[in-house]
Short mmCIF file of all heavy atoms in Angstrom, two decimals:
data_model
loop_
_atom_site.label_atom_id
_atom_site.label_comp_id
_atom_site.label_asym_id
_atom_site.label_seq_id
_atom_site.Cartn_x
_atom_site.Cartn_y
_atom_site.Cartn_z
N TRP A 1349 -8.03 8.68 -8.82
CA TRP A 1349 -8.33 7.38 -9.11
C TRP A 1349 -9.38 6.83 -8.21
O TRP A 1349 -9.09 6.27 -7.10
CB TRP A 1349 -7.04 6.56 -9.07
CG TRP A 1349 -7.14 5.20 -9.67
CD1 TRP A 1349 -8.26 4.58 -10.24
CD2 TRP A 1349 -6.08 4.19 -9.72
NE1 TRP A 1349 -7.94 3.28 -10.69
CE2 TRP A 1349 -6.66 3.09 -10.38
CE3 TRP A 1349 -4.76 4.24 -9.35
CZ2 TRP A 1349 -5.85 1.94 -10.60
CZ3 TRP A 1349 -4.02 3.11 -9.52
CH2 TRP A 1349 -4.46 1.90 -10.19
N SER A 1352 -12.52 3.72 -11.60
CA SER A 1352 -12.10 2.79 -12.61
C SER A 1352 -11.18 1.73 -12.12
O SER A 1352 -10.08 2.06 -11.56
CB SER A 1352 -11.43 3.51 -13.76
OG SER A 1352 -10.91 2.58 -14.64
N PRO A 1353 -11.46 0.44 -12.31
CA PRO A 1353 -10.59 -0.62 -11.91
C PRO A 1353 -9.30 -0.68 -12.83
O PRO A 1353 -8.29 -1.29 -12.34
CB PRO A 1353 -11.40 -1.89 -12.03
CG PRO A 1353 -12.42 -1.55 -13.01
CD PRO A 1353 -12.80 -0.13 -12.83
N ASP A 1354 -9.36 -0.03 -13.90
CA ASP A 1354 -8.31 -0.16 -14.91
C ASP A 1354 -7.22 0.88 -14.70
O ASP A 1354 -6.06 0.70 -15.03
CB ASP A 1354 -8.73 0.06 -16.31
CG ASP A 1354 -9.69 -1.16 -16.70
OD1 ASP A 1354 -9.50 -2.30 -16.25
OD2 ASP A 1354 -10.76 -0.88 -17.40
N GLY A 1355 -7.53 2.02 -14.05
CA GLY A 1355 -6.50 3.07 -13.91
C GLY A 1355 -7.08 4.38 -13.61
O GLY A 1355 -8.26 4.59 -13.64
N PRO A 1356 -6.26 5.37 -13.32
CA PRO A 1356 -6.68 6.72 -12.96
C PRO A 1356 -7.60 7.34 -14.05
O PRO A 1356 -7.36 7.20 -15.28
CB PRO A 1356 -5.37 7.48 -12.90
CG PRO A 1356 -4.37 6.47 -12.57
CD PRO A 1356 -4.75 5.29 -13.37
N GLY A 1406 -2.15 -0.96 2.24
CA GLY A 1406 -3.39 -1.78 2.13
C GLY A 1406 -4.06 -1.68 0.74
O GLY A 1406 -4.47 -2.68 0.18
N LEU A 1407 -4.24 -0.52 0.27
CA LEU A 1407 -4.80 -0.28 -1.06
C LEU A 1407 -3.96 -0.96 -2.13
O LEU A 1407 -4.53 -1.51 -3.06
CB LEU A 1407 -4.98 1.24 -1.40
CG LEU A 1407 -6.05 1.88 -0.65
CD1 LEU A 1407 -6.07 3.44 -0.76
CD2 LEU A 1407 -7.46 1.41 -1.02
N THR A 1408 -2.65 -0.85 -2.00
CA THR A 1408 -1.76 -1.38 -3.09
C THR A 1408 -1.97 -2.95 -3.02
O THR A 1408 -2.02 -3.60 -4.04
CB THR A 1408 -0.28 -0.97 -2.81
OG1 THR A 1408 -0.23 0.41 -2.79
CG2 THR A 1408 0.60 -1.60 -3.90
N ALA A 1409 -1.87 -3.52 -1.80
CA ALA A 1409 -2.02 -4.91 -1.72
C ALA A 1409 -3.36 -5.46 -2.16
O ALA A 1409 -3.51 -6.47 -2.83
CB ALA A 1409 -1.75 -5.37 -0.23
N TRP A 1410 -4.46 -4.70 -1.75
CA TRP A 1410 -5.82 -5.20 -2.23
C TRP A 1410 -5.93 -5.16 -3.72
O TRP A 1410 -6.50 -6.03 -4.27
CB TRP A 1410 -6.82 -4.21 -1.51
CG TRP A 1410 -8.27 -4.65 -1.91
CD1 TRP A 1410 -8.93 -4.13 -2.94
CD2 TRP A 1410 -9.04 -5.59 -1.24
NE1 TRP A 1410 -10.23 -4.67 -2.97
CE2 TRP A 1410 -10.31 -5.66 -1.94
CE3 TRP A 1410 -8.87 -6.50 -0.13
CZ2 TRP A 1410 -11.33 -6.48 -1.61
CZ3 TRP A 1410 -9.94 -7.33 0.20
CH2 TRP A 1410 -11.13 -7.29 -0.52
N ARG A 1411 -5.42 -4.05 -4.28
CA ARG A 1411 -5.48 -3.97 -5.74
C ARG A 1411 -4.72 -5.05 -6.52
O ARG A 1411 -5.20 -5.67 -7.43
CB ARG A 1411 -5.02 -2.54 -6.25
CG ARG A 1411 -5.08 -2.45 -7.75
CD ARG A 1411 -4.97 -0.97 -8.16
NE ARG A 1411 -4.81 -0.92 -9.66
CZ ARG A 1411 -5.82 -1.08 -10.48
NH1 ARG A 1411 -7.10 -1.27 -10.00
NH2 ARG A 1411 -5.66 -1.00 -11.74
N ALA A 1412 -3.52 -5.41 -5.95
CA ALA A 1412 -2.80 -6.46 -6.57
C ALA A 1412 -3.46 -7.84 -6.39
O ALA A 1412 -3.64 -8.64 -7.33
CB ALA A 1412 -1.42 -6.50 -5.98
N LEU A 1413 -3.96 -8.11 -5.17
CA LEU A 1413 -4.53 -9.41 -4.79
C LEU A 1413 -5.86 -9.63 -5.42
O LEU A 1413 -6.15 -10.69 -6.02
CB LEU A 1413 -4.47 -9.55 -3.29
CG LEU A 1413 -5.06 -10.82 -2.78
CD1 LEU A 1413 -4.24 -12.05 -3.05
CD2 LEU A 1413 -5.34 -10.72 -1.29
N VAL A 1414 -6.76 -8.67 -5.15
CA VAL A 1414 -8.15 -8.88 -5.51
C VAL A 1414 -8.52 -8.31 -6.85
O VAL A 1414 -9.17 -8.95 -7.72
CB VAL A 1414 -9.12 -8.27 -4.39
CG1 VAL A 1414 -10.50 -8.59 -4.75
CG2 VAL A 1414 -8.71 -8.83 -3.07
N VAL A 1415 -8.14 -7.08 -7.13
CA VAL A 1415 -8.58 -6.36 -8.32
C VAL A 1415 -7.83 -6.99 -9.55
O VAL A 1415 -8.41 -7.44 -10.57
CB VAL A 1415 -8.37 -4.89 -8.30
CG1 VAL A 1415 -8.77 -4.27 -9.63
CG2 VAL A 1415 -9.19 -4.26 -7.19
N LYS A 1416 -6.62 -7.05 -9.44
CA LYS A 1416 -5.73 -7.49 -10.61
C LYS A 1416 -5.61 -9.06 -10.74
O LYS A 1416 -5.80 -9.60 -11.86
CB LYS A 1416 -4.31 -6.91 -10.55
CG LYS A 1416 -4.28 -5.32 -10.61
CD LYS A 1416 -4.79 -4.79 -11.91
CE LYS A 1416 -3.84 -4.94 -13.03
NZ LYS A 1416 -4.37 -4.22 -14.25
N ALA A 1417 -5.37 -9.74 -9.63
CA ALA A 1417 -5.37 -11.21 -9.66
C ALA A 1417 -6.79 -11.79 -9.95
O ALA A 1417 -7.00 -12.77 -10.52
CB ALA A 1417 -4.77 -11.75 -8.38
N GLY A 1418 -7.75 -11.00 -9.38
CA GLY A 1418 -9.18 -11.42 -9.56
C GLY A 1418 -9.75 -12.31 -8.42
O GLY A 1418 -8.98 -12.81 -7.67
N GLU A 1419 -11.01 -12.22 -8.31
CA GLU A 1419 -11.73 -12.88 -7.22
C GLU A 1419 -11.38 -14.34 -7.18
O GLU A 1419 -11.18 -14.92 -6.08
CB GLU A 1419 -13.21 -12.65 -7.38
CG GLU A 1419 -13.76 -11.29 -7.02
CD GLU A 1419 -13.74 -11.01 -5.51
OE1 GLU A 1419 -13.77 -12.02 -4.76
OE2 GLU A 1419 -13.91 -9.79 -5.19
N ARG A 1420 -11.44 -15.08 -8.37
CA ARG A 1420 -11.17 -16.48 -8.41
C ARG A 1420 -9.86 -16.89 -7.88
O ARG A 1420 -9.55 -17.89 -7.23
CB ARG A 1420 -11.43 -17.02 -9.79
CG ARG A 1420 -11.37 -18.51 -9.83
CD ARG A 1420 -11.82 -19.02 -11.22
NE ARG A 1420 -10.88 -18.62 -12.30
CZ ARG A 1420 -10.97 -18.90 -13.51
NH1 ARG A 1420 -12.04 -19.66 -13.95
NH2 ARG A 1420 -10.18 -18.46 -14.45
N ASN A 1421 -8.80 -16.09 -8.19
CA ASN A 1421 -7.46 -16.33 -7.88
C ASN A 1421 -7.07 -15.74 -6.46
O ASN A 1421 -5.92 -15.93 -6.11
CB ASN A 1421 -6.52 -15.68 -8.91
CG ASN A 1421 -6.68 -16.36 -10.24
OD1 ASN A 1421 -6.85 -17.60 -10.35
ND2 ASN A 1421 -6.61 -15.64 -11.37
N SER A 1422 -8.02 -15.22 -5.84
CA SER A 1422 -7.80 -14.65 -4.47
C SER A 1422 -8.78 -15.12 -3.48
O SER A 1422 -9.03 -14.33 -2.44
CB SER A 1422 -7.67 -13.14 -4.55
OG SER A 1422 -8.85 -12.58 -4.98
N SER A 1423 -9.41 -16.27 -3.72
CA SER A 1423 -10.50 -16.68 -2.83
C SER A 1423 -10.02 -18.11 -2.29
O SER A 1423 -8.95 -18.68 -2.73
CB SER A 1423 -11.76 -16.86 -3.58
OG SER A 1423 -12.21 -15.57 -4.02
N VAL A 1428 -1.37 -18.61 -3.85
CA VAL A 1428 -0.73 -17.38 -4.20
C VAL A 1428 0.63 -17.32 -3.63
O VAL A 1428 0.90 -17.65 -2.47
CB VAL A 1428 -1.67 -16.18 -3.73
CG1 VAL A 1428 -0.84 -14.91 -3.97
CG2 VAL A 1428 -2.95 -16.12 -4.45
N VAL A 1437 3.80 -3.84 1.69
CA VAL A 1437 2.75 -4.37 0.79
C VAL A 1437 2.72 -5.86 0.79
O VAL A 1437 1.64 -6.50 0.86
CB VAL A 1437 3.06 -3.84 -0.68
CG1 VAL A 1437 2.02 -4.42 -1.63
CG2 VAL A 1437 2.89 -2.31 -0.66
N ALA A 1441 -0.54 -8.07 1.75
CA ALA A 1441 -1.05 -8.97 0.83
C ALA A 1441 -1.20 -10.37 1.48
O ALA A 1441 -2.25 -11.06 1.34
CB ALA A 1441 -0.19 -9.13 -0.40
N LEU A 1444 -4.29 -10.19 3.98
CA LEU A 1444 -5.47 -10.15 3.25
C LEU A 1444 -5.83 -11.45 2.66
O LEU A 1444 -6.97 -11.94 2.73
CB LEU A 1444 -5.47 -9.03 2.25
CG LEU A 1444 -5.41 -7.57 2.68
CD1 LEU A 1444 -5.18 -6.63 1.57
CD2 LEU A 1444 -6.74 -7.25 3.37
N ARG A 1448 -8.88 -14.29 3.34
CA ARG A 1448 -9.82 -14.73 2.27
C ARG A 1448 -9.73 -16.21 2.08
O ARG A 1448 -10.35 -16.72 1.22
CB ARG A 1448 -9.53 -13.94 1.04
CG ARG A 1448 -9.77 -12.52 1.08
CD ARG A 1448 -9.28 -11.69 -0.08
NE ARG A 1448 -9.94 -12.20 -1.33
CZ ARG A 1448 -11.09 -11.70 -1.79
NH1 ARG A 1448 -11.73 -10.80 -1.12
NH2 ARG A 1448 -11.66 -12.15 -2.94
N ASP A 1497 -1.79 -19.84 -8.61
CA ASP A 1497 -2.96 -19.17 -9.33
C ASP A 1497 -2.52 -17.69 -9.64
O ASP A 1497 -3.00 -17.09 -10.59
CB ASP A 1497 -4.26 -19.16 -8.55
CG ASP A 1497 -4.66 -20.65 -8.38
OD1 ASP A 1497 -5.11 -21.16 -9.40
OD2 ASP A 1497 -4.63 -21.23 -7.31
N ALA A 1498 -1.75 -17.09 -8.74
CA ALA A 1498 -1.29 -15.76 -8.92
C ALA A 1498 -0.01 -15.50 -8.15
O ALA A 1498 0.35 -16.26 -7.13
CB ALA A 1498 -2.34 -14.80 -8.44
N ILE A 1499 0.79 -14.57 -8.53
CA ILE A 1499 2.08 -14.21 -7.87
C ILE A 1499 2.12 -12.75 -7.71
O ILE A 1499 1.89 -12.01 -8.63
CB ILE A 1499 3.29 -14.69 -8.80
CG1 ILE A 1499 3.22 -16.16 -8.81
CG2 ILE A 1499 4.61 -14.27 -8.04
CD1 ILE A 1499 4.31 -16.79 -9.79
N ILE A 1500 2.34 -12.29 -6.53
CA ILE A 1500 2.46 -10.85 -6.18
C ILE A 1500 3.96 -10.62 -5.90
O ILE A 1500 4.51 -11.14 -4.89
CB ILE A 1500 1.62 -10.42 -5.04
CG1 ILE A 1500 0.15 -10.68 -5.43
CG2 ILE A 1500 1.81 -8.99 -4.65
CD1 ILE A 1500 -0.79 -10.46 -4.25
N ASP A 1501 4.65 -9.95 -6.82
CA ASP A 1501 6.09 -9.88 -6.76
C ASP A 1501 6.61 -8.47 -6.25
O ASP A 1501 6.24 -7.49 -6.96
CB ASP A 1501 6.75 -10.24 -8.07
CG ASP A 1501 8.29 -10.11 -8.06
OD1 ASP A 1501 8.91 -10.92 -7.39
OD2 ASP A 1501 8.78 -9.19 -8.61
N LEU A 1515 3.50 -20.20 -12.67
CA LEU A 1515 2.11 -19.88 -12.76
C LEU A 1515 1.32 -20.92 -13.58
O LEU A 1515 1.87 -21.59 -14.44
CB LEU A 1515 1.86 -18.55 -13.55
CG LEU A 1515 2.07 -17.30 -12.67
CD1 LEU A 1515 2.15 -16.06 -13.60
CD2 LEU A 1515 0.88 -17.10 -11.76
N LYS A 1516 0.08 -21.12 -13.23
CA LYS A 1516 -0.84 -22.03 -13.96
C LYS A 1516 -0.93 -21.51 -15.40
O LYS A 1516 -0.82 -20.29 -15.65
CB LYS A 1516 -2.19 -22.19 -13.36
CG LYS A 1516 -2.98 -20.90 -13.35
CD LYS A 1516 -4.34 -21.05 -12.68
CE LYS A 1516 -5.17 -19.76 -12.66
NZ LYS A 1516 -6.45 -19.85 -11.93
N SER A 1518 -2.88 -20.16 -18.27
CA SER A 1518 -4.15 -19.47 -18.39
C SER A 1518 -3.98 -18.24 -19.22
O SER A 1518 -2.83 -17.59 -19.10
CB SER A 1518 -4.72 -19.15 -17.01
OG SER A 1518 -5.80 -18.24 -17.15
N LYS A 1519 -4.95 -17.73 -19.88
CA LYS A 1519 -4.88 -16.49 -20.58
C LYS A 1519 -4.69 -15.37 -19.68
O LYS A 1519 -4.12 -14.27 -19.97
CB LYS A 1519 -6.12 -16.33 -21.38
CG LYS A 1519 -6.18 -17.21 -22.57
CD LYS A 1519 -7.51 -16.85 -23.39
CE LYS A 1519 -7.77 -17.86 -24.50
NZ LYS A 1519 -8.98 -17.50 -25.29
N LEU A 1520 -5.17 -15.43 -18.40
CA LEU A 1520 -5.19 -14.34 -17.49
C LEU A 1520 -4.45 -14.61 -16.26
O LEU A 1520 -4.65 -13.99 -15.19
CB LEU A 1520 -6.62 -14.01 -17.14
CG LEU A 1520 -7.51 -13.56 -18.18
CD1 LEU A 1520 -8.93 -13.44 -17.75
CD2 LEU A 1520 -7.00 -12.31 -18.85
N SER A 1521 -3.43 -15.61 -16.27
CA SER A 1521 -2.63 -15.86 -15.08
C SER A 1521 -1.91 -14.60 -14.67
O SER A 1521 -1.03 -14.06 -15.47
CB SER A 1521 -1.65 -16.95 -15.33
OG SER A 1521 -2.27 -18.07 -15.55
N PRO A 1522 -2.07 -14.00 -13.52
CA PRO A 1522 -1.56 -12.72 -13.21
C PRO A 1522 -0.17 -12.79 -12.38
O PRO A 1522 -0.09 -13.56 -11.38
CB PRO A 1522 -2.64 -12.06 -12.28
CG PRO A 1522 -3.30 -13.21 -11.76
CD PRO A 1522 -3.15 -14.40 -12.58
N LEU A 1523 0.80 -12.10 -12.85
CA LEU A 1523 2.02 -11.85 -12.14
C LEU A 1523 1.97 -10.38 -11.82
O LEU A 1523 2.04 -9.49 -12.69
CB LEU A 1523 3.19 -12.17 -12.94
CG LEU A 1523 4.52 -11.75 -12.42
CD1 LEU A 1523 4.89 -12.41 -11.10
CD2 LEU A 1523 5.71 -12.00 -13.38
N LEU A 1524 1.80 -9.90 -10.56
CA LEU A 1524 1.66 -8.57 -10.15
C LEU A 1524 2.93 -8.05 -9.61
O LEU A 1524 3.49 -8.67 -8.69
CB LEU A 1524 0.49 -8.36 -9.10
CG LEU A 1524 -0.96 -8.63 -9.52
CD1 LEU A 1524 -1.29 -7.99 -10.88
CD2 LEU A 1524 -1.24 -10.14 -9.56
N LEU A 1525 3.41 -6.93 -10.19
CA LEU A 1525 4.63 -6.36 -9.71
C LEU A 1525 4.22 -5.01 -9.18
O LEU A 1525 3.45 -4.25 -9.67
CB LEU A 1525 5.63 -6.15 -10.78
CG LEU A 1525 6.11 -7.49 -11.50
CD1 LEU A 1525 5.36 -7.65 -12.87
CD2 LEU A 1525 7.53 -7.55 -11.65
N TYR A 1526 4.84 -4.59 -8.06
CA TYR A 1526 4.56 -3.30 -7.48
C TYR A 1526 5.94 -2.59 -7.01
O TYR A 1526 6.91 -3.33 -6.74
CB TYR A 1526 3.63 -3.44 -6.33
CG TYR A 1526 4.18 -4.23 -5.13
CD1 TYR A 1526 4.94 -3.68 -4.14
CD2 TYR A 1526 3.86 -5.68 -5.05
CE1 TYR A 1526 5.40 -4.53 -3.09
CE2 TYR A 1526 4.27 -6.43 -4.01
CZ TYR A 1526 5.08 -5.82 -3.01
OH TYR A 1526 5.49 -6.63 -2.01
#
Side-chain angles (χ1 to χ4, degrees):
W1349 192 0
S1352 171
D1354 297 323
L1407 286 169
T1408 303
W1410 179 268
R1411 179 165 172 77
L1413 177 69
V1414 180
V1415 179
K1416 300 296 283 185
E1419 288 282 345
R1420 186 172 63 178
N1421 295 322
S1422 58
S1423 298
V1428 171
V1437 175
L1444 290 171
R1448 292 171 63 85
D1497 296 291
I1499 299 174
I1500 300 175
D1501 179 70
L1515 279 168
K1516 66 182 180 182
S1518 168
K1519 291 181 180 179
L1520 299 175
S1521 293
L1523 169 64
L1524 293 314
L1525 302 103
Y1526 61 87

